[in-house]
Amino acid sequence: MTGRLIAFEGGETVGKSTQARLLAQRLGALLTFEPGATELGARIRSLVLDAADLSLSPQAEALLMAADRAQHIAGVIRPALEAGTDVVTDRFIGSSLAYQGFGRCLGVDEILALSLFATGGLQSDLVVLLEVPVEAALSRQASPSDRIEAETAEFHRRVLEGYRTLAEQHPEQWVVVDGNRPVDKVADAVYSAVSERLGD
Ligand code: TMP
C-alpha cells in the first residue's frame, strides 16, 4: 500500500508552514518541506535563498529547485510513500510552477516537464492552496528574509495570480482554502477539504 502525498502551496506569509504541520499531526503523516529537506537540499536552499549575490539566472534557479526536488523525492518522499506513510510537504511542484513558471516567466509547461523529470513522474494526490487577498499578502512582506522574498511586488503578484490560475485549471488536484482567518479555523477547513477529497 502506498501513502498519500499532500502539498501545501501559497505565497510567503500565509501561515503555510503552520498549517502543514497541523495537518501532518492530525493525519499522523510525515512532515517535510522544499527546498532544503535533504543534506544536499540544505546546501541548495542556501544557494538559492541567501542574499549573497551569485547573480543566479532564472534558469539556474529553476534547475536548482528541480535538483532539490529530485533528491527530496529519492531520499524522503518516495521511501515514505512506499512504506505506506502519508506525506505532507510544505511546497512542491506548484511552487516551481508559480515562482519560476509565472514569477520568472519561464513557462509553466517547461517548468512542469522539469519538475516531473525530477520526481520521475510522481505528483501529489492533492495540493492545498492557502489564499489570502493579494494586497494583504503583499503588504505583509515588509521585511524580506531571503532573496526571493525580496523580489518586486510585481513578481509576487505574478506568483499569487499564477497560483490562482493553476488552482482554477486543475480543480481535480487543487483545493483552495481561505487563509485569512484564525489558525484553528483554517486548520479545520484544511482538514475537511482533505478528508472530503481523499476520503479520510
Ligand atoms: P519557504 O521559506 O516557504 O520555505 O520558501 C522558500 C522560498 O523558495 C519561497 O520564496 C518560494 C521559493 N521556491 C521557489 O521559488 N521554487 C520552488 O520550487 C520552491 C520549492 C520554493
Side-chain angles (χ1 to χ4, degrees):
M1 191 188 127
T2 79
R4 299 160 306 175
L5 177 58
I6 300 159
F8 272 80
E9 295 290 353
E12 306 288 339
T13 51
V14 293
K16 201 170 36 56
S17 306
T18 303
Q19 292 301 330
R21 177 171 48 77
L22 293 173
L23 181 71
Q25 276 168 5
R26 226 154 158 171
L27 295 178
L30 174 73
L31 174 64
T32 186
F33 65 99
E34 291 189 357
T38 61
E39 209 177 324
L40 173 69
R43 297 195 203 180
I44 293 174
R45 184 178 173 98
S46 63
L47 284 174
V48 281
L49 296 184
D50 282 358
D53 187 17
L54 298 173
S55 304
L56 268 191
S57 74
Q59 287 80 359
E61 179 182 280
L63 288 161
L64 286 167
M65 293 296 185
D68 171 76
R69 184 159 303 128
Q71 198 72 7
H72 191 206
I73 282 284
V76 178
I77 294 180
R78 199 183 289 281
L81 295 177
E82 283 176 359
T85 304
D86 290 335
V87 177
V88 173
T89 181
D90 178 359
R91 297 197 180 282
F92 194 53
I93 295 175
S95 286
S96 288
L97 300 177
Y99 283 79
Q100 281 68 53
F102 286 95
R104 300 285 187 218
C105 305
L106 290 178
V108 174
D109 292 345
E110 287 79 355
I111 296 296
L112 179 61
L114 182 63
S115 285
L116 292 176
F117 173 73
T119 67
L122 194 135
Q123 299 208 45
S124 55
D125 296 286
L126 187 66
V127 186
V128 179
L129 174 60
L130 279 191
E131 251 205 345
V132 300
V134 173
E135 297 312 322
L138 293 177
S139 69
R140 283 188 206 169
Q141 262 167 246
S143 47
S145 63
D146 64 50
R147 197 180 59 83
I148 294 181
E149 269 186 36
E151 271 297 337
T152 60
E154 240 353 276
F155 172 87
H156 287 289
R157 195 182 299 279
R158 283 199 298 278
V159 169
L160 296 172
E161 286 169 0
Y163 270 131
R164 190 164 303 160
T165 301
L166 291 165
E168 280 168 10
Q169 285 175 345
H170 304 283
E172 70 300 339
Q173 192 190 20
W174 289 63
V175 60
V176 182
V177 173
D178 175 6
N180 208 20
R181 292 177 285 176
V183 171
D184 55 332
K185 294 272 180 306
V186 178
D188 287 346
V190 166
Y191 185 69
S192 333
V194 170
S195 310
E196 193 180 303
R197 292 300 192 93
L198 299 183
D200 211 44

